């Protein structure tokens, strides 16, 4: 037998094989744990990215609504001005109607009750603000969005804490 000629006993060879087997099992387990960690990290990165993108979309929509509120106020003031001609008043009402139509197109049923042309200005502005709040509430009703938002917040806090610890 080859091993006997080299002075290796069967027990030593069995021990060696057992050691190699244990090493292979530990390496495989380590690889599996690493793969699980990388998968978890990828999912968290995707959740943070999705929350960030959704947050940006909400910011854009809120900014757009605020700009439209300012424009509606301006147009309604022009409409209330006694020096406005009938032609100017007609054009202002068409512009208000265009804003209203774009809101209904973008926000659907939530915006259908808004009447920018003939409705009470303060009530219409409150409805526009409610539209913005409703969009935020709908976003955070979804558990995945909340998790992603939480992860995005943590991801922004952790780098700042790391930079503070190096000072």
């Amino acid at each position: 037998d080859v091993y006997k000629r080299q002075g290796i006993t069967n027990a030593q060879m069995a021990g060696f094989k057992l050691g190699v087997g244990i090493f292979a099992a530990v390496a495989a387990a380590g690889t599996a744990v690493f793969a699980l960690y990388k998968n978890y990290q990828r999912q968290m990165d995707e959740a943070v990215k999705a929350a960030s993108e959704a947050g940006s979309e909400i910011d854009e929509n809120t900014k757009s609504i605020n700009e439209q509120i300012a424009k509606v106020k301006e147009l309604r003031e022009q409409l209330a001005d006694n020096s406005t001609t009938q032609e100017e008043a007609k054009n202002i009402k068409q512009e208000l109607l265009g804003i209203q139509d774009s809101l209904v197109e973008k926000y659907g049923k939530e915006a259908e009750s808004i009447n920018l042309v003939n409705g009470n200005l303060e009530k219409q502005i409150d409805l526009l603000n409610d539209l913005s709040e409703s969009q935020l509430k709908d976003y955070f009703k979804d558990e995945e969005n909340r998790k992603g938002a939480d992860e995005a917040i943590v991801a922004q806090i952790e780098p700042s804490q790391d930079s503070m610890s190096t000072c």
Side-chain angles (χ1 to χ4, degrees):
D1 184 281
V2 175
Y3 301 120
K4 287 185 181 179
R5 277 186 272 151
Q6 293 178 352
I8 300 173
T9 67
N10 286 339
Q12 288 173 325
M13 185 50 65
F16 175 74
K17 288 179 180 179
L18 179 64
V20 169
I22 290 172
F23 176 77
V26 169
T31 301
V33 168
F34 182 73
L36 287 172
Y37 170 76
K38 290 304 274 182
N39 185 41
Y40 170 79
Q41 187 65 40
R42 182 186 52 77
Q43 288 175 344
M44 288 299 104
D45 289 346
E46 288 173 2
V48 168
K49 182 180 177 188
S52 178
E53 288 171 357
S56 294
E57 181 180 342
I58 289 171
D59 286 345
E60 282 297 315
N61 287 343
T62 301
K63 181 181 175 187
S64 173
I65 288 174
N66 288 336
E67 289 170 355
Q68 289 174 331
I69 288 171
K71 185 66 175 175
V72 167
K73 284 181 179 180
E74 176 189 327
L75 292 170
R76 290 294 295 263
E77 286 172 8
Q78 291 174 11
L79 198 55
D81 186 354
N82 290 332
S83 64
T84 303
T85 67
Q86 279 188 323
E87 186 64 30
E88 290 171 332
K90 179 183 171 190
N91 292 337
I92 290 170
K93 286 181 179 183
Q94 285 178 337
E95 193 170 347
L96 286 168
L97 191 57
I99 293 171
Q100 182 175 317
D101 289 344
S102 72
L103 289 169
V104 170
E105 184 179 316
K106 186 168 187 171
Y107 299 104
K109 289 187 177 192
E110 290 180 271
E112 286 179 354
S113 62
I114 297 172
N115 183 345
L116 299 178
V117 178
N118 298 317
N120 173 286
L121 179 61
E122 292 305 314
K123 182 179 180 194
Q124 302 313 307
I125 290 172
D126 286 344
L127 288 171
L128 287 170
N129 286 326
D130 289 347
L131 188 62
S132 182
E133 289 176 26
S134 173
Q135 185 182 21
L136 279 171
K137 287 177 186 174
D138 288 346
Y139 175 77
F140 284 107
K141 280 181 186 175
D142 184 82
E143 187 174 337
E144 285 300 315
N145 291 339
R146 282 196 313 273
K147 280 183 181 178
D150 290 344
E151 290 292 331
I153 291 168
V154 168
Q156 290 194 352
I157 292 172
E158 286 177 347
S160 64
Q161 287 178 345
D162 290 343
S163 65
M164 286 191 293
S165 65
T166 58
C167 294

